[in-house]
Amino acid sequence: MLTSNYVVQGTAEGQDMIDSSTWKKRLPRRKDVAPVPDDAFANRQLDLFQGFLANTEDKREALSNAVDLWDSIPRYAISRLRMNAMRTAEGFLDVMELPFNYRGRPLTALIYPARVKDKNGQRLSYYPSAREELIEHALRKISTDQHSGFFDQQSYRSGARFSLYQLRKELEQQEHSLRYDELIEGLDILSLSAIEIVAANDDGDEAFARSTYLAALTGVKRKDYEADRDVRWAAQFHPLVTQSIDQVTYRQFNYQRLMRCSTQLARWLMGQLVLKYTQAALINSFDMRYSTIRRDSALLNGYGRERDAVAALDSAWEELKTMGTLAVVRKTEQRGSRAKLEDVTYTLFPTRDFVAEQKAANRRQNDAKVSSSPSR
């Protein structure tokens, strides 16, 4: 996590705290996953990450882990439609700069696009978008299975070992079917796109952390996807995910419900409720503002008219009600001179299911922190 004076550097050798004034910026480069030792697939921190608190196996299968800072970054905010309009004639996209707040602190995400071949053999730039978001969630879910996820303390890295068939099957089960070529293109974009998180220090300098979305990726590409379906791939997660596993800052949540949301905005809202509405109770409401959601998600920036963006947000809240996360959403508009809309406050009341899920997540996180304590 970025601090006022230091930045976390993720490398193949480890993750060190580097004085930001002495670390020169480097361009991201593609790396393969180095061989993972056997003990990285079975250890205390990984067991905690994979050990969900649930009453039945079916309920356990519905769960995954949300990562606080990483899942608060607007890293999938540019749609394919917007990308197509932004590309140069040569197929290039510029670095995208997205300001957001994390727990009251202003940060900036710089998104470096990947340059990959399309089906016609032409190289085009792509930002990670909705498809890549779903693939990353599916990989993180796969990593919660024994013998599929790894946490390598010595090299300070984490990730998932999987086959394309396994990844495709996981996405199909969550109602997101992708062809093998779409999976491979999505994995390429995740492993070649870089994200840089920048924070201003008190002395005026900037601390930053930069890595590709998947810090490393290893696999085998073949023209015959059916022949390739059982070959094992390995994806190394972003250093912020590894840090969360190490420090037990993740939270369990209903992954199946999130994945079955029809829009990115609904998924983002649900993720924020999981991370922030930790004391959910039937009589304990939670407020979110339109202006905050627009700034921190960046998913409403493509709307030319304010009323269209608000309508999209209203629709996303209705979907969360339909999906069983929220019971009631109360909307209060703040208007200025000439009745101009200045902001909207949404007061949210949870369902019993969401309250129970958040209580279970709190207990599981507390138990995990106690279990991982050095004194034990």
Side-chain angles (χ1 to χ4, degrees):
M1 182 181 299
L2 292 169
T3 65
S4 58
N5 298 312
Y6 293 93
V7 60
V8 176
Q9 179 192 14
T11 67
E13 295 75 28
Q15 188 178 59
D16 303 309
M17 300 302 288
I18 305 296
D19 188 323
S20 60
S21 64
T22 62
W23 187 22
K24 295 181 179 179
K25 291 188 177 183
R26 297 182 297 234
L27 290 175
R29 60 186 177 84
R30 184 170 183 168
K31 294 184 289 187
D32 293 336
V33 179
V36 181
D38 290 341
D39 60 5
F41 291 93
N43 54 63
R44 186 187 216 177
Q45 294 306 110
L46 188 62
D47 287 345
L48 294 174
F49 184 73
Q50 295 175 335
F52 297 111
L53 185 61
N55 293 327
T56 66
E57 187 60 27
D58 285 344
K59 289 185 177 181
R60 184 197 178 282
E61 282 302 310
L63 300 174
S64 187
N65 293 301
V67 178
D68 193 7
L69 173 54
W70 180 238
D71 285 336
S72 297
I73 300 168
R75 62 193 192 279
Y76 296 111
I78 314 302
S79 69
R80 282 293 180 105
L81 188 62
R82 287 183 65 193
M83 279 183 237
N84 292 337
M86 294 164 62
R87 281 197 194 92
T88 66
E90 296 75 26
F92 287 96
L93 291 169
D94 201 353
V95 176
M96 176 63 66
E97 186 171 333
L98 298 172
F100 69 103
N101 276 21
Y102 169 71
R103 299 196 178 276
R105 181 168 187 186
L107 301 173
T108 300
L110 300 177
I111 313 296
Y112 296 80
R115 187 83 170 162
V116 300
K117 284 184 180 180
D118 65 9
K119 61 183 179 181
N120 298 319
Q122 180 184 6
R123 288 199 177 273
L124 297 175
S125 294
Y126 292 93
Y127 301 116
S129 192
R131 180 185 62 185
E132 286 70 43
E133 175 195 12
L134 295 169
I135 290 173
E136 189 205 333
H137 272 300
L139 287 174
R140 206 186 302 172
K141 174 60 177 175
I142 289 171
S143 76
T144 65
D145 295 335
Q146 285 188 337
H147 312 301
S148 293
F150 64 86
F151 173 74
D152 184 358
Q153 178 68 55
Q154 185 173 357
S155 297
Y156 212 81
R157 56 184 175 149
S158 64
R161 186 169 60 184
F162 62 98
S163 68
L164 289 181
Y165 175 77
Q166 182 183 14
L167 179 57
R168 189 183 188 195
K169 187 75 172 177
E170 175 60 39
L171 286 164
E172 283 180 351
Q173 289 175 347
Q174 307 313 321
E175 302 177 5
H176 297 287
S177 296
L178 293 175
R179 302 188 309 269
Y180 284 117
D181 61 317
E182 291 174 323
L183 285 178
I184 290 175
E185 184 182 73
L187 289 167
D188 281 343
I189 291 172
L190 285 168
S191 64
L192 292 171
S193 298
I195 184 166
E196 182 175 335
I197 304 102
V198 181
N201 288 333
D202 295 337
D203 58 7
D205 288 339
E206 288 185 340
F208 71 95
R210 184 197 298 149
S211 172
T212 47
Y213 283 61
L214 293 178
L217 178 70
T218 296
V220 177
K221 293 182 182 180
R222 297 176 181 168
K223 292 182 179 179
D224 183 355
Y225 296 114
E226 287 299 322
D228 187 43
R229 53 184 265 167
D230 294 320
V231 173
R232 305 298 283 177
W233 290 53
Q236 188 173 313
F237 295 148
H238 189 277
L240 287 176
V241 179
T242 300
Q243 181 173 302
S244 182
I245 295 173
D246 185 40
Q247 298 181 1
V248 196
T249 57
Y250 48 84
R251 286 179 61 82
Q252 74 176 39
F253 75 103
N254 193 318
Y255 155 85
Q256 288 183 356
R257 185 186 296 140
L258 178 140
M259 289 290 279
R260 290 173 185 176
C261 289
S262 64
T263 65
Q264 278 186 279
L265 184 57
R267 290 195 293 271
W268 185 89
L269 292 171
M270 190 177 295
Q272 291 302 293
L273 291 175
V274 167
L275 293 169
K276 295 177 180 178
Y277 195 6
T278 57
Q279 301 305 314
L282 295 179
I283 59 173
N284 178 21
S285 63
F286 188 76
D287 287 352
M288 292 186 74
R289 289 180 176 271
Y290 162 77
S291 57
T292 301
I293 294 166
R294 178 161 193 153
R295 178 195 64 205
D296 293 345
S297 74
L299 290 168
L300 297 171
N301 294 346
Y303 291 91
R305 298 185 302 180
E306 200 92 81
R307 64 184 181 185
D308 292 337
V310 172
L313 183 53
D314 291 345
S315 178
W317 289 127
E318 286 301 312
E319 181 167 13
L320 292 198
K321 288 172 62 178
T322 302
M323 299 297 293
T325 299
L326 298 174
V328 176
V329 177
R330 294 177 182 165
K331 178 181 177 182
T332 305
E333 296 181 347
Q334 287 84 53
R335 293 186 177 271
S337 60
R338 298 183 180 179
K340 180 180 179 181
L341 183 66
E342 294 184 342
D343 209 344
V344 181
T345 299
Y346 295 90
T347 301
L348 315 171
F349 291 87
T351 60
R352 292 183 183 275
D353 285 346
F354 186 72
V355 170
E357 289 165 4
Q358 289 294 79
K359 288 182 176 178
N362 292 340
R363 180 180 171 187
R364 184 247 194 166
Q365 188 176 53
N366 290 336
D367 289 348
K369 286 183 176 179
V370 170
S371 180
S372 66
S373 173
S375 62
R376 290 185 65 86

